[in-house]
Amino acid sequence: MFSVYIAIYIVLELYEVQWQKAQTIMGMLARMYEQYHKSIFLFLIMHPTFYFGVWFVFVTQYNPYAIALLSCKSADIITKILLIKKVFIDKELSEELTHSLFIPIGPYLPYVGLVLYPFFIFMALS
């Protein structure tokens, strides 16, 4: 049963990584803002791992690891929305934030979720 849940999660996470992938954090934010600008609901729908997390919390009867997974996914989406608002809507960027958004990110950074979140799933089902 572990492998089915983990496999489903990995497929959903790969989908998210592919549509958000860019060379910099600013590039990632720009790709996300395209969807956010069309509709915040579209933006939220394009994060299926969040919905998986909600469902997983119920399936595991509020297991602390499942709650940790959902908390991390929630914090991730909230951070993205706040950055999108700050960068593209309010246009309030400090010099430090501007520099950090344009620093190239490594090719493996977008895939960190593929290592971190399946661990939570495994622990919740153990």
Side-chain angles (χ1 to χ4, degrees):
M1 192 53 120
F2 296 133
S3 59
V4 173
Y5 290 127
I6 291 172
I8 290 169
Y9 184 85
I10 287 173
V11 168
L12 296 174
E13 184 72 23
L14 283 171
Y15 164 75
E16 284 185 30
V17 167
Q18 290 308 312
W19 80 263
Q20 296 174 14
K21 199 181 223 181
Q23 304 254 330
T24 63
I25 294 175
M26 181 59 91
M28 292 173 74
L29 286 175
R31 290 181 63 110
M32 288 183 253
Y33 180 66
E34 290 175 18
Q35 308 311 318
Y36 181 91
H37 184 68
K38 292 175 188 173
S39 168
I40 189 161
F41 298 112
L42 176 61
F43 175 80
L44 293 172
I45 287 170
M46 293 187 73
H47 288 85
T49 55
F50 173 75
Y51 301 104
F52 176 90
V54 171
W55 170 80
F56 192 65
V57 165
F58 292 126
V59 166
T60 61
Q61 299 176 353
Y62 302 97
N63 181 286
Y65 288 104
I67 292 171
L69 180 139
L70 181 59
S71 298
C72 289
K73 292 308 291 181
S74 298
D76 178 49
I77 292 173
I78 291 167
T79 302
K80 290 173 184 176
I81 290 172
L82 290 174
L83 281 171
I84 286 170
K85 184 177 182 308
K86 188 170 207 67
V87 172
F88 296 104
I89 297 168
D90 297 340
K91 298 181 179 163
E92 297 175 2
L93 290 173
S94 66
E95 188 175 328
E96 295 83 13
L97 181 58
T98 302
H99 288 303
S100 65
L101 291 176
F102 284 99
I103 293 174
I105 57 175
Y108 302 111
L109 184 63
Y111 297 99
V112 169
L114 289 171
V115 175
L116 178 65
Y117 298 122
F119 169 76
F120 287 128
I121 296 168
F122 177 78
M123 293 304 293
L125 295 173
S126 294

